[in-house]
Amino acid sequence: MRFRILGTLEVREYGNRVALASPRQQRALATLLLNPNSVVPVERMVDALWEDEPPATAVKQVRNCVSALRGRLGETGGSIVTDGPGYRLQTDADDLDSLRFRRHVVAARALAGQAKLVDAVEEIRAALALWRGPALDGLRTTTLAGRAAVLDEQRADAVELCAEWRLRLGETGEVVRELTEFCGEHPMRELSHLLLMRALANEGRYAEASTLFHGLRRRLADELGVDPNPDLRRLHEQILAEATPSVPAVAPTPDPEPRVDAPPEHHLFGRAVTELAEAVTWQWRAEAELRSLHRPQPIVLRWSAVARPGKPALRGDLDDITKTFAALPVRQLVVLGDPGSGKSVLALMLTLELLRTRAPGSPVPVLLSLASWDPRREHLDRWLAGRLADDHPALLNTREYGPGAPTRLVLGGHVVPVLDGLDEMPADLRVAALDALDQTMAVGRSLVLTCRSAEYEQVTRESGAVLSAATVVRLEPVARQEAITYLSAREGAGHDRWRPVADRLRRDPDAALARVLRTPLMVDLARIGYGRPSADPAELLAAEDAEALEGKLLDSFVPNAYAQVPQPPGRNPKTSPSGRYTAAQATRWLGFLARHLEQARSRDLAWWQLYRAVPAGTRSGLIGVVIALFFVVTGQLDDGPALAAIYGLSFGGAGYLTHRFGRAPEPLRTELRFAGAARKFASRFAIGAAVGVLLGLGWSLATGLVVFLALVFGLLFAVHVWLAKPVDASRVSSPRTILRNERTGAIALSASFLVSVGLFDGMAFAFTAQTRFLPVLGGRYDVALAIAGGLAGASFGFFMARGVAAVCYGLAGAIAGGQVFPAATDPVLPVVAGGCFGVGFGLAVLVTRAWGNYFVHHVWLAATGRLPWRLMRFLDDAHRRGVLRQAGGVYQFRHARVQERLAAVSHPERARR
């Protein structure tokens, strides 16, 4: 009789499977088979048979179960013997697959030790052939799982041994195929990934090897908080060195924190190029899948080259554009088309195909929207480098990628800009933009540019600047038959709902319907609007005006996207839209956001710029009131209404003026990281401690309190070094990750100020020696304290928001700091006053950070009904529905025409501002 536990539990006799009567018998047998020829105490059998509390008769039931098991196994049942405190199953190695597996592995190791690798591989493959799945698959209880996991670990070790020996024999292809599947099943095993990376590198597949490494690094960091082992890191550096041997070295800038074991500079830079390619691939592949651009029957996008002297006559479709671009003598391509003709889709698909066919060390195509570029204020290369830094903030990490990696990527020709939407820039900037593009790209750098045909022709007429080396192609209208095929693609046999539309398109090619359905956008909107079986596409035939029909299709987009439909079971909430929003809510909120973008002349919906949707006076007033509130309470507790008014007006006014005339905060692309921060932590701690000592001495505090303040302020200054640049450039910023990281930094910063400044104020209120230096106004004001407070306030303002804030908070500090009031007599008052003072300063810090500024204004907009309370969740849901698209750290409406239409038809804002 043969027993099999390397997979599901099986018992076979003469080739036939022996059925066990109950799960309890299966568990009893599995317990004995996991300990062959060894005594298994009855207590362990009890634990294996009952997951929860065993019954009082458990021992008796175990005996009955073993007795029944013996009977089920027939003659072999006699091999289950009672031995002292338990039972033992006597079996030979040939009768139990786990014993045969171990025998094969031992033999394979012995052969490998004799340098007989071919025989060793054959032996260990025979061992692995015994496995049919995880040990005791489907039968694991808490007791059985531990021993079964040991067997699984032995199998994993055998797989890695086999792969290592086969790599020595040069069988890289087989190793890649087998380990690719194995690493997918065991995503945290470092040795398996190391062997697979080595095999991929041996085949010259450097990009895949690097991608594998970064995937493992992310999983280890997210789940265990550790880095890959040194062997893996060294192998990755070797792969990068082999993949990018010709990357030119750039004169290094002194690194503030040099590493003794740092790899050569060109290796760091080569890694930046490789990881950027991986990041862009993942970013746009996910976006393409979300937009369903790889549908089995997409709309065919055809293009033809615009006739220009010296340029070849070209023509093709989406599948040909990559080869055409690669074959151009100067790789500069301008893509023109009517609104909704598919320019952005072509740019995205071209980017992905260029990445797929990219050779190691070749430039990386990076798809960017031109809407955020102001050519009158920023050079093209500086803007490109800034966008790389925004979307891939880890590139700014000098320790990981060398100094100035984004700028060097751009200036070194390692980036192919794929610039989408010249027409989406404000009209008065297009001429300057094209002129800057013509000057910057005149040296033959690669470029892809998209624009509406009419806008491009107008800009070239006005500026005279033409990308003379570029090949210009124009997207052609959708052919009638292709539109019909796409619209009816999901219809089943015998259904002809779209037949009237098809007949009209064939019969009257100049009708309003035919003119509207010449662009992919309108064809897609038509299918979205009338895709449900209950909808009648024949309604489209009634339209006689093309503009009205386009408006109707645009207006139907959001309601159809938010139609309430039953969700299938097992829906993944991370990739599927939720049903929590109605079409009316979505239309109102999206309409407000569209108007906000139109007024800002932007296509980028960035959460940190949401404050612009609130009038300047209102938003500054909100900030001032929020800051003043707690300072008013502090002043009231310290010395009554007069001091409350002084505190509230000075600090509230400082907040108002700072946010009225100062520069709005941008998010800090950071993450919480402790490694390598010891030296910076110590130096920052020393500076903070010195500040605490000076404050304590200035307010005549006792020595012990001065020391305590020094410790607190030292920590205040030091903890911020843990907010460092990310270390993985293959991660792409998203609106959620930017908000999460910025929120972490903003809260940590404000909390540290809250604690330290609150402690200082409470101590000064309770324990000051009431020393007066330069009293004026009858002793109610001290000039020396005012100077100290003004300097402290100015330092605080400059640290948080530079010039304007330094002046405003300096004045506030001088006004409030010079006030003289009696020390506290009630021991509770200093605690409360210090807490309020700390909260006031914490809020002042918080609103000078992007997340705090966003939080205040989002609460205001949500309270007045213009936005949902969970805005990011709503935007993410709109992205999953295809209403929005994601471009790095910002959202954009699916198409500029959708944004323009929502802004135009939404009702005027009646909510109180």
Side-chain angles (χ1 to χ4, degrees):
M1 184 169 285
R2 296 294 180 92
F3 300 99
R4 306 173 73 184
I5 63 174
L6 304 182
T8 55
L9 175 65
E10 286 187 6
V11 181
R12 290 189 176 273
E13 186 174 22
Y14 304 114
N16 297 321
R17 186 166 183 170
V18 177
L20 299 180
S22 67
R24 191 166 294 171
Q25 287 186 12
Q26 295 175 16
R27 294 174 186 171
L29 179 59
T31 306
L32 295 170
L33 292 175
L34 284 171
N35 303 273
N37 301 311
S38 300
V39 176
V40 180
V42 173
E43 290 78 7
R44 191 186 305 173
M45 298 282 286
V46 170
D47 292 338
L49 266 59
W50 285 276
E51 281 277 15
D52 48 10
E53 189 69 23
T57 59
V59 174
K60 181 178 181 181
Q61 291 190 46
V62 167
R63 290 171 182 163
N64 293 339
C65 181
V66 172
S67 177
L69 184 61
R70 286 170 175 159
R72 175 66 63 175
L73 297 179
E75 295 179 1
T76 306
S79 59
I80 303 177
V81 298
T82 303
D83 191 342
Y87 300 95
R88 174 164 47 87
L89 189 151
Q90 298 174 324
T91 182
D92 296 330
D94 290 336
D95 295 333
L96 179 59
D97 58 357
S98 62
L99 295 179
R100 280 185 290 158
F101 168 75
R102 292 170 187 165
R103 185 175 63 189
H104 281 302
V105 172
V106 170
R109 288 182 182 273
L111 290 169
Q114 301 169 19
K116 298 179 180 179
L117 287 185
V118 175
D119 295 334
V121 168
E122 184 177 351
E123 191 73 25
I124 205 164
R125 285 178 64 83
L128 292 170
L130 296 170
W131 285 80
R132 298 164 290 112
L136 293 178
D137 194 12
L139 194 63
R140 295 190 179 191
T141 64
T142 303
T143 303
L144 299 176
R147 298 299 300 270
V150 172
L151 290 174
D152 291 338
E153 184 68 20
Q154 292 172 358
R155 173 187 176 245
D157 292 340
V159 170
E160 291 167 344
L161 269 180
C162 182
E164 184 176 355
W165 293 339
R166 296 183 78 176
L167 278 178
R168 295 184 192 175
L169 295 173
E171 301 176 5
T172 55
E174 291 296 322
V175 171
V176 168
R177 280 189 289 274
E178 293 180 3
L179 281 188
T180 298
E181 180 179 356
F182 185 78
C183 288
E185 298 170 354
H186 301 79
M188 306 289 284
R189 287 190 71 90
E190 294 183 272
L191 179 56
S192 305
H193 285 72
L194 184 143
L195 294 170
L196 180 53
M197 285 172 59
R198 189 177 295 163
L200 290 168
N202 290 344
E203 292 194 336
R205 297 159 66 176
Y206 302 112
E208 295 177 57
S210 184
T211 300
L212 184 72
F213 173 81
H214 292 297
L216 174 64
R217 182 164 73 171
R218 279 192 301 275
R219 289 190 293 274
L220 290 173
D222 293 342
E223 299 186 25
L224 302 178
V226 299
D227 288 330
N229 64 50
D231 291 338
L232 268 166
R233 296 199 299 269
R234 281 193 293 270
L235 175 61
H236 186 236
E237 296 294 344
Q238 294 170 8
I239 289 172
L240 290 176
E242 295 172 8
T244 57
S246 60
V247 175
V250 178
T253 302
D255 194 329
E257 294 185 42
R259 293 185 298 180
V260 176
D261 60 342
E265 178 64 28
H266 68 278
H267 289 182
L268 292 175
F269 191 61
R271 198 171 92 192
V273 175
T274 302
E275 295 186 12
L276 176 63
E278 296 170 13
V280 178
T281 301
W282 293 333
Q283 173 186 5
W284 294 114
R285 183 183 294 165
E287 191 67 18
E289 291 174 357
L290 199 61
R291 298 191 207 176
S292 301
L293 297 183
H294 297 291
R295 285 173 289 204
Q297 292 179 308
I299 302 176
V300 177
L301 293 178
R302 300 192 185 279
W303 54 268
S304 58
V306 177
R308 293 176 65 177
K311 297 296 180 182
L314 302 172
R315 188 181 180 86
D317 57 23
L318 193 58
D319 296 332
D320 305 321
I321 193 66
T322 305
K323 294 179 181 178
T324 301
F325 179 74
L328 294 176
V330 177
R331 293 186 178 180
Q332 294 184 357
L333 182 69
V334 177
V335 180
L336 305 179
D338 294 332
S341 60
K343 301 180 295 298
S344 296
V345 170
L346 184 143
L348 191 156
M349 302 304 289
L350 173 60
T351 299
L352 285 176
E353 187 62 18
L354 288 174
L355 287 163
R356 190 185 68 81
T357 58
R358 172 183 172 270
S362 299
V364 180
V366 178
L367 175 57
L368 299 170
S369 170
L370 275 170
S372 63
W373 178 36
D374 186 345
R376 296 177 301 190
R377 298 182 178 181
E378 195 171 25
H379 189 275
L380 175 64
D381 288 335
R382 184 182 295 276
W383 175 77
L384 290 172
R387 286 300 307 270
L388 287 181
D390 288 344
D391 292 347
H392 313 276
L395 290 174
L396 297 174
N397 193 313
T398 304
R399 291 166 54 89
E400 298 292 330
Y401 303 102
T407 301
R408 292 161 53 212
L409 284 168
V410 173
L411 297 180
H414 301 287
V415 170
V416 178
V418 181
L419 306 178
D420 185 27
L422 177 65
D423 56 279
E424 294 182 359
M425 300 179 70
D428 56 332
L429 296 182
R430 295 170 193 161
V431 171
L434 188 59
D435 182 63
L437 285 168
D438 189 59
Q439 293 182 24
T440 306
M441 298 297 171
V443 294
R445 291 164 56 179
S446 298
L447 168 73
V448 178
L449 175 69
T450 74
C451 184
R452 293 180 182 179
S453 302
E455 281 79 352
Y456 188 77
E457 292 170 2
Q458 181 181 356
V459 171
T460 53
R461 283 196 307 268
E462 293 178 0
S463 67
V466 178
L467 295 168
S468 57
T471 298
V472 182
V473 302
R474 192 185 306 273
L475 289 172
E476 299 179 349
V478 177
R480 284 173 293 171
Q481 187 55 48
E482 290 168 353
I484 294 169
T485 301
Y486 180 78
L487 289 171
S488 59
R490 296 181 182 177
E491 294 296 301
H495 294 277
D496 55 359
R497 292 188 312 118
W498 289 96
R499 182 182 297 277
V501 174
D503 292 341
R504 174 67 66 84
L505 291 176
R506 295 190 183 101
R507 185 175 64 252
D508 194 351
D510 295 323
L513 178 62
R515 295 200 305 274
V516 168
L517 297 183
R518 287 177 180 174
T519 64
L521 174 65
M522 290 300 158
V523 176
D524 198 35
L525 291 181
R527 191 168 82 168
I528 292 172
Y530 294 93
R532 295 188 303 276
S534 59
D536 184 7
E539 294 177 3
L540 296 169
L541 305 179
E544 297 184 358
D545 180 72
E547 184 176 350
L549 180 56
E550 287 186 354
K552 179 180 179 181
L553 291 175
L554 287 167
D555 291 342
S556 68
F557 174 52
V558 172
N560 281 301
Y562 284 86
Q564 299 294 324
V565 295
Q567 294 295 328
R571 178 180 64 87
N572 185 351
K574 293 185 177 181
T575 57
S576 303
S578 69
R580 60 172 56 92
Y581 306 113
T582 66
Q585 289 175 322
T587 301
R588 184 173 73 255
W589 294 332
L590 290 169
F592 174 78
L593 292 171
R595 288 197 310 279
H596 158 58
L597 293 180
E598 287 294 305
Q599 292 167 1
R601 302 202 306 172
S602 175
R603 300 297 181 198
D604 293 343
L605 181 55
W607 59 262
W608 59 90
Q609 294 178 350
L610 187 65
Y611 71 93
R612 295 180 178 175
V614 181
T618 303
R619 62 176 181 250
S620 302
L622 283 173
I623 296 294
V625 169
V626 168
I627 293 174
L629 178 62
F630 288 92
F631 285 107
V632 167
V633 177
T634 304
Q636 178 67 37
L637 293 173
D638 286 346
D639 198 28
L643 189 62
I646 293 173
Y647 272 24
L649 290 173
S650 58
F651 287 107
Y656 175 88
L657 293 173
T658 295
H659 289 266
R660 186 70 172 85
F661 301 105
R663 175 178 293 183
E666 291 285 324
L668 298 176
R669 270 77 169 181
T670 59
E671 63 184 10
L672 196 62
R673 185 157 51 87
F674 302 98
R679 279 174 41 191
K680 273 190 175 180
F681 186 92
S683 61
R684 296 282 183 87
F685 183 89
I687 296 173
V691 172
V693 169
L694 292 174
L695 286 174
L697 294 177
W699 265 260
S700 305
L701 297 179
T703 303
L705 296 178
V706 173
V707 172
F708 181 68
L709 279 179
L711 293 174
V712 172
F713 275 82
L715 289 174
L716 159 68
F717 277 70
V719 293
H720 307 137
V721 303
W722 293 335
L723 297 174
K725 293 297 178 186
V727 298
D728 189 356
S730 63
R731 291 187 177 185
V732 185
S733 288
S734 68
R736 278 186 175 273
T737 58
I738 294 175
L739 185 141
R740 182 173 60 249
N741 293 338
E742 165 65 16
R743 179 176 56 204
T744 300
I747 292 177
L749 193 64
S750 59
S752 61
F753 270 94
L754 186 156
V755 173
S756 57
V757 176
L759 279 172
F760 163 71
D761 183 75
M763 290 179 180
F765 188 21
F767 304 114
T768 180
Q770 296 292 305
T771 303
R772 299 292 178 263
F773 301 99
L774 297 173
V776 295
L777 301 178
R780 296 287 298 174
Y781 193 81
D782 192 299
V783 176
L785 291 180
I787 294 173
L791 290 174
S795 300
F796 162 79
F798 186 80
F799 177 71
M800 297 310 306
R802 296 299 185 264
V804 174
V807 174
C808 294
Y809 280 101
L811 290 173
I815 294 170
Q819 301 297 319
V820 176
F821 48 88
T825 56
D826 185 344
V828 177
L829 281 181
V831 176
V832 178
C836 292
F837 194 79
V839 171
F841 256 99
L843 287 173
V845 172
L846 189 67
V847 295
T848 58
R849 300 268 36 93
W851 180 78
N853 191 42
Y854 157 78
F855 179 80
V856 171
H857 295 104
H858 171 231
V859 168
W860 173 258
L861 292 171
T864 53
R866 286 171 280 186
L867 287 179
W869 286 102
R870 300 289 298 274
L871 177 61
M872 295 308 296
R873 185 165 67 178
F874 170 70
L875 296 178
D876 188 53
D877 182 76
H879 180 220
R880 291 197 294 266
R881 294 176 186 271
V883 178
L884 300 178
R885 62 190 183 192
Q886 185 177 310
V890 300
Y891 288 115
Q892 297 172 339
F893 279 90
R894 171 185 171 168
H895 195 277
R897 297 199 65 192
V898 174
Q899 175 181 317
E900 293 164 359
R901 184 70 181 183
L902 278 169
V905 302
S906 57
H907 294 293
E909 189 60 55
R910 296 190 179 95
R912 182 170 55 87
R913 291 179 180 265

